[in-house]
Amino acid sequence: MHKLEDTYKMKGLRLRLVEELKSKGIKNKSILDAVGSIPRHLFLDKAFWEWAYKDQAFPIAANQTISQPYTVAFQTELLDVSFDDKVLEIGTGSGYQASVLSLLCKKVYSIERQEVLFKNSSQLLYALGYKNVRCYYGDGYAGLSSRAPFDKILVTCGAPHVPTKLLSQLSTGGQLVVPVGKGDTQEMLRITKKDDGKFTKESFGDCAFVPFLEGVDKNFDSSKKTSRVVLD
Ligand code: SAH
């Protein structure tokens, strides 16, 4: 892993990113503050550092992506987290979304199916001091029954259908934010579990995520421990 350095230049670029997110409609002050304080460049390979505060997705290891900051902020807004919430994230990826959640709620559990991402991101989140995040290597379709129920569940990959196990791990009044669709694009859904146990569904437009795949992928190459990014 590269040295965990932050600079005034990076801080300045972050504040510009916060202004950009505001101009794109993000209103929640805690989320904007989180984006303003988290060193996103450290979640990327050094080759991308100079663009780290552009509102863009970037490639990370295992052919996956770190989501665009607007998407992270938008999904987090939809999740409507409060400081005593217990949150489950599906798709740890770079760990950036988990770090945003960690500043906004009590406890974050995050599952990743790519072993290399699980290893890199759990180490990075720990090193950066996001101590209320626990990372798991596993299949997000199963959720995390040992820690259920969750006040909020956030899926950061595109699901072909709403995973029923995730619905069953929501607490009463809990909410699941999940992009759902069978093609290249998905519909952003927020599903709420009501007091009578029934679910309501709201839609928030189209989006495009990497696919929510079944099972786990063990592709960690121990001879390349320092490499955080695999580019084609
Ligand atoms: N939240 C991430 C976004 C990563 S992209 C971030 O902030 O960087 C989505 C991630 O979902 C990918 O890393 C992909 O490997 C993961 N994923 C896809 N299917 C999964 C599954 N069944 N279980 C857990 N993670 C999954």
Side-chain angles (χ1 to χ4, degrees), residues 60 64-67 72 89-98 111-114 117 138-141 156-157 210-215:
I60 54 173
Q64 303 302 314
T65 55
I66 178 173
S67 303
V72 171
E89 178 195 22
I90 309 299
T92 315
S94 67
Y96 180 72
Q97 170 77 71
I111 308 177
E112 173 56 56
R113 71 181 288 279
Q114 295 284 353
L117 293 174
D139 181 0
Y141 275 101
T156 68
C157 37
V210 295
F212 191 162
L213 300 170
E214 307 244 8

Side-chain angles (χ1 to χ4, degrees), residues 158-230:
H161 54 82
V162 178
T164 48
K165 285 230 171 98
L166 297 185
L167 287 178
S168 73
Q169 293 178 17
L170 273 181
S171 57
T172 301
Q175 292 186 305
L176 165 67
V177 170
V178 55
V180 176
K182 292 204 193 310
D184 290 342
T185 61
Q186 302 91 29
E187 185 183 3
M188 186 71 82
L189 297 181
R190 178 167 65 190
I191 297 171
T192 305
K193 185 174 178 181
K194 296 192 301 171
D195 292 348
D196 60 6
K198 294 197 176 126
F199 295 96
T200 54
K201 189 170 91 178
E202 300 162 275
S203 175
F204 296 90
D206 288 346
C207 50
F209 284 79
V210 295
F212 191 162
L213 300 170
E214 307 244 8
V216 293
D217 198 350
K218 189 174 167 57
N219 62 0
F220 184 64
D221 179 350
S222 59
S223 67
K224 292 187 184 158
K225 269 194 188 117
T226 54
S227 161
R228 303 196 61 237
V229 169
V230 180

Side-chain angles (χ1 to χ4, degrees), residues 84-118:
D84 52 2
D85 276 350
K86 189 166 98 174
V87 179
L88 175 66
E89 178 195 22
I90 309 299
T92 315
S94 67
Y96 180 72
Q97 170 77 71
S99 73
V100 171
L101 290 170
S102 101
L103 298 182
L104 304 172
C105 66
K106 189 154 83 187
K107 187 94 192 179
V108 183
Y109 299 92
S110 185
I111 308 177
E112 173 56 56
R113 71 181 288 279
Q114 295 284 353
E115 194 182 20
V116 62
L117 293 174
F118 157 71

